[in-house]
Amino acid sequence: AQSVTQPDIHITVSEGASLELRCNYSYGATPYLFWYVQSPGQGLQLLLKYFSGDTLVQGIKGFEAEFKRSQSSFNLRKPSVHWSDAAEYFCAVGESAGTASKLTFGTGTRLQVTL
Amino acid sequence: GAVVSQHPSWVICKSGTSVKIECRSLDFQATTMFWYRQFPKQSLMLMATSNEGSKATYEQGVEKDKFLINHASLTLSTLTVTSAHPEDSSFYICSARDDSGRADTQYFGPGTRLTVL
C-alpha cells in the first residue's frame, strides 16, 4: 500500500527566507506525486505534480519540487517566502498519472511566516 | 478556474440524527467525485468514490450504511452521515473531476466541519 510521510508538522520561517518542506513516499510502482496547499475556508489547491521526466518540477506561486527516487523524496521548495504563503501544505501520491486518481495524503505541514 | 462548493460549511447536530452534506461543481460537470475525511492534525483519508448514476465505491473500513452517498446529477453529490455519533465529528472534504477538461483535473471543495454533540 502506498503511504506518504511529512516529518514536519509545523514550520516557521521569516518572510523572504527560503523554504523546504519534506515529503517521503512509499509506493511499489512509479510514483505520481503532488503537492497541495490548503488555506482556511478554501479548498485544496494543486501547487505542482510529478509524473515523469525532469525531476525538478516547477509549480504555481514560485514553488518547485524535486523528485529523488533514491531517497523516495519529493521535497517542496521556495526561494523566498511571502507572508501569504502561510497555510497547510500536503504531499500526496496518486494511483495513476491524473490528479483525478485516488490520492493518499501525508499528514500535512503547517507553515507559519513571521514578518 | 473551476469551483467546487460544499454546503453547509459547518454543522452541529445531536447524537442520533442524520446530517446531509452537499458537494457541487459550480461551472463544470463531474461524473466522478471523491469524499475525504480529515481529523485534526491528520491527513485526508479517502472515504469513497462517488459516480453519477451508479453506486459509490467505498474504501476499506468505511461503513456504507453509515455514510450514504448519492450522486444523482453531474454537478451534485451528497454525503449523509446517518445516526451520527460524536466519533463522526470531523472535517469532510469533497473533490470533483472535471469531465470536460484534462483527465487529471480534480478540484477540491472548502470542506464541511461536522460536530456531533
Side-chain angles (χ1 to χ4, degrees):
Chain A
Q2 56 199 35
S3 66
V4 177
T5 301
Q6 293 181 247
D8 304 307
I9 297 174
H10 187 201
I11 284 183
T12 300
V13 299
S14 300
E15 188 176 38
S18 63
L19 171 70
E20 181 168 31
L21 302 182
R22 295 183 291 167
C23 173
N24 293 95
Y25 67 89
S26 173
Y27 189 56
T30 302
Y32 300 105
L33 299 161
F34 310 87
W35 273 100
Y36 286 87
V37 59
Q38 183 182 37
S39 299
Q42 298 184 28
L44 274 75
Q45 182 181 21
L46 179 66
L47 288 175
L48 47 78
K49 57 191 177 187
Y50 171 78
F51 295 160
S52 64
D54 192 349
T55 57
L56 184 62
V57 180
Q58 301 298 321
I60 63 171
K61 303 185 178 185
F63 286 94
E64 66 177 26
E66 185 171 12
F67 169 63
K68 294 184 177 180
R69 183 183 296 275
S70 62
Q71 299 178 20
S72 298
S73 69
F74 188 58
N75 295 347
L76 181 71
R77 300 195 295 250
K78 186 169 184 177
S80 178
V81 170
H82 189 262
W83 64 266
S84 60
D85 293 324
E88 187 92 22
Y89 291 81
F90 291 93
C91 181
V93 60
E95 289 186 344
S96 66
T99 65
S101 63
K102 290 166 55 174
L103 299 174
T104 298
F105 285 86
T107 51
T109 298
R110 179 165 295 279
L111 173 65
Q112 183 176 359
V113 180
T114 57
L115 300 175
Chain B
V3 178
V4 174
S5 69
Q6 284 185 238
H7 178 78
S9 56
W10 60 269
V11 57
I12 301 174
C13 69
K14 294 182 179 181
S15 183
T17 61
S18 294
V19 174
K20 179 184 287 187
I21 302 170
E22 294 184 347
C23 177
R24 293 183 184 272
S25 55
L26 297 186
D27 49 4
F28 65 95
Q29 293 185 331
T31 301
T32 302
M33 294 184 177
F34 301 92
W35 286 96
Y36 295 84
R37 184 173 179 177
Q38 184 181 24
F39 291 101
K41 302 187 186 303
Q42 296 189 29
S43 61
L44 284 74
M45 302 295 294
L46 180 65
M47 299 174 65
T49 302
S50 172
N51 301 294
E52 188 269 338
S54 64
K55 292 183 179 180
T57 304
Y58 290 83
E59 295 300 302
Q60 190 174 9
V62 178
E63 299 176 58
K64 300 178 182 181
D65 296 332
K66 175 75 171 177
F67 299 99
L68 300 180
I69 292 174
N70 185 288
H71 195 154
S73 79
L74 290 174
T75 59
L76 174 64
S77 175
T78 60
L79 169 68
T80 301
V81 183
T82 62
S83 187
H85 292 283
E87 57 266 29
D88 298 323
S89 298
S90 190
F91 194 53
Y92 294 87
I93 300 173
C94 74
S95 68
R97 178 165 59 191
D98 187 348
D99 289 346
S100 64
R102 296 175 56 188
D104 61 353
T105 307
Q106 183 178 160
Y107 301 97
F108 284 81
T112 297
R113 185 163 301 284
L114 170 63
T115 301
V116 184
L117 303 177

